[in-house]
Amino acid sequence: MSIIGMKFQPPMAHPTTSIYATSPSASSPPSKGSPSALQSMGLACGTALIAVNFTHPIETVKTRMQVGEFSFGIMMKEEGFAALWKGIQAAWLREASYTTVKLGGYGPIRDALGAKDKNAPFYLKFFAGSLSGSIGSVFGNPFDVMKTMMMSNSGKQTPLPALMGQMYKDQGIGGFYRGITANIARACVLNGTKMACYDLIKGKVSESLGYSRKDVRCQFISATGAGLFMTCTVSPFDNMRTRLMNQPTDAKIYNGMVDCAKKTLQKEGPTAFYKGFFPIWGRFAPQATLQLVIMDNFLNMMGFDTI
């Protein structure tokens, strides 16, 4: 049979073909389901150690603004560019403990509560994030104290082992848990807001824009939104934590979070609780985005369900 004169029709392109594959089968192997708690925390540890290197300078500026008068120009002139990474050693240890638990523990706790479904109640997702954040803050508090003291020190940097030795000599083990109440409260509100909002926004973005939950566009939009909500809810707790942790090793200025809040309010007024708001936002937005997008892509690469 002759084929001359037959009309050739090119094959139709698959409607989902894109550099952003929205079909899970087009971008990743079949899902293995949710990771175990240890697998989740292992991936969270790697995520945290990568992200902190990029966000630490913003954290340093934010901390300096919270503890007193601050000039970026003077800081650069007197301490140099490397000052932005003061305390990075303590930050690595803090991320390897605190963030490993708060980020890695969210999924397993959420699933145990039966809140994995996109339509699950917001309060259950918030509770899962609050619980993992609170537990993580207990593990990370000693390194949080060291990190805060190292970042706020505008003089010659004391090596981490020496600073820890001085703290133990002056205040014993209790010195490493100064500000623990404020830190738990902060972690509870922060991680509850962060994880619940991220989880919820992903569902809304997926429904509204048609992006898969594994699509980096969905992850980026959701993480950015979560970062904004985090800043609004956490700023007062972040300020109290910084002040409590930055007390000298041989002195005690505040008797806990309530005393710190009372003295701050009397001396500086209510706006003091939002000191460094924009640097906090400037840190939370990229940090939340980096952590959540990296974590989701680690989960995706390993074949697990994303957050």
Side-chain angles (χ1 to χ4, degrees):
M1 181 183 292
S2 173
I3 62 172
I4 298 174
M6 292 182 64
K7 186 176 180 181
F8 174 74
Q9 291 184 331
M12 292 180 65
H14 194 281
T16 59
T17 301
S18 167
I19 58 171
Y20 302 105
T22 57
S23 169
S25 61
S27 60
S28 60
S31 176
K32 302 175 185 176
S34 299
S36 68
L38 286 177
Q39 288 172 325
S40 182
M41 287 191 286
L43 294 174
C45 182
T47 295
L49 291 174
I50 292 171
V52 71
N53 295 290
F54 298 98
T55 59
H56 191 77
I58 307 172
E59 171 83 348
T60 302
V61 172
K62 182 267 295 182
T63 300
R64 294 286 183 95
M65 290 181 71
Q66 289 177 334
V67 299
E69 296 297 326
F70 172 72
S71 168
F72 185 78
I74 293 175
M75 179 184 179
M76 291 294 98
K77 181 180 179 180
E78 295 183 353
E79 302 174 62
F81 189 71
L84 292 171
W85 277 271
K86 276 187 172 180
I88 189 63
Q89 299 89 348
W92 290 331
L93 294 173
R94 186 249 193 189
E95 295 302 305
S97 51
Y98 167 59
T99 304
T100 292
V101 177
K102 76 164 186 176
L103 182 60
Y106 172 73
I109 293 174
R110 177 201 61 188
D111 295 354
L113 292 172
K116 183 177 181 179
D117 186 81
K118 65 180 181 180
N119 296 317
F122 178 82
Y123 74 87
L124 285 178
K125 296 178 185 292
F126 186 90
F127 179 73
S130 296
L131 185 57
S132 64
S134 299
I135 296 170
S137 67
V138 175
F139 287 98
N141 204 84
F143 307 115
D144 231 339
V145 172
M146 296 296 101
K147 183 190 75 166
T148 301
M149 296 181 70
M150 293 174 79
M151 288 190 300
S152 60
N153 179 17
S154 59
K156 184 178 180 181
Q157 186 72 82
T158 303
L160 179 59
L163 184 60
M164 294 184 75
Q166 187 62 47
M167 174 64 83
Y168 183 75
K169 178 181 177 182
D170 291 340
Q171 296 189 23
I173 292 295
F176 295 102
Y177 285 89
R178 53 165 58 178
I180 184 64
T181 303
N183 207 22
I184 291 175
R186 172 187 180 274
C188 179
V189 174
L190 183 153
N191 211 53
T193 304
K194 173 183 177 180
M195 303 308 298
C197 287
Y198 180 65
D199 204 335
L200 184 67
I201 295 172
K202 280 185 78 176
K204 298 298 182 183
V205 170
S206 182
E207 288 179 3
S208 302
L209 302 179
Y211 299 151
S212 162
R213 293 177 71 93
K214 293 185 177 184
D215 192 313
V216 70
R217 294 171 296 183
C218 180
Q219 295 163 1
F220 181 82
I221 294 169
S222 304
T224 301
L228 175 60
F229 286 112
M230 285 164 59
T231 308
C232 296
T233 58
V234 172
S235 287
F237 299 98
D238 193 78
N239 270 278
M240 296 305 98
R241 182 199 67 153
T242 298
R243 290 166 186 258
L244 286 162
M245 289 184 173
N246 194 52
Q247 297 173 95
T249 61
D250 58 352
K252 193 174 185 180
I253 302 171
Y254 307 109
N255 294 311
M257 184 173 68
V258 175
D259 183 55
C260 180
K262 182 180 177 181
K263 288 178 177 176
T264 300
L265 183 62
Q266 290 174 341
K267 186 177 179 181
E268 303 175 52
T271 57
F273 294 108
Y274 285 88
K275 267 190 173 181
F277 179 86
F278 288 106
I280 292 173
W281 188 12
R283 176 198 174 233
F284 279 170
Q287 183 187 53
T289 301
L290 282 170
Q291 285 185 353
L292 293 169
V293 170
I294 292 172
M295 179 67 175
D296 260 353
N297 279 277
F298 276 172
L299 288 167
N300 193 27
M301 285 189 292
M302 297 297 292
F304 294 118
D305 291 338
T306 55
I307 296 172

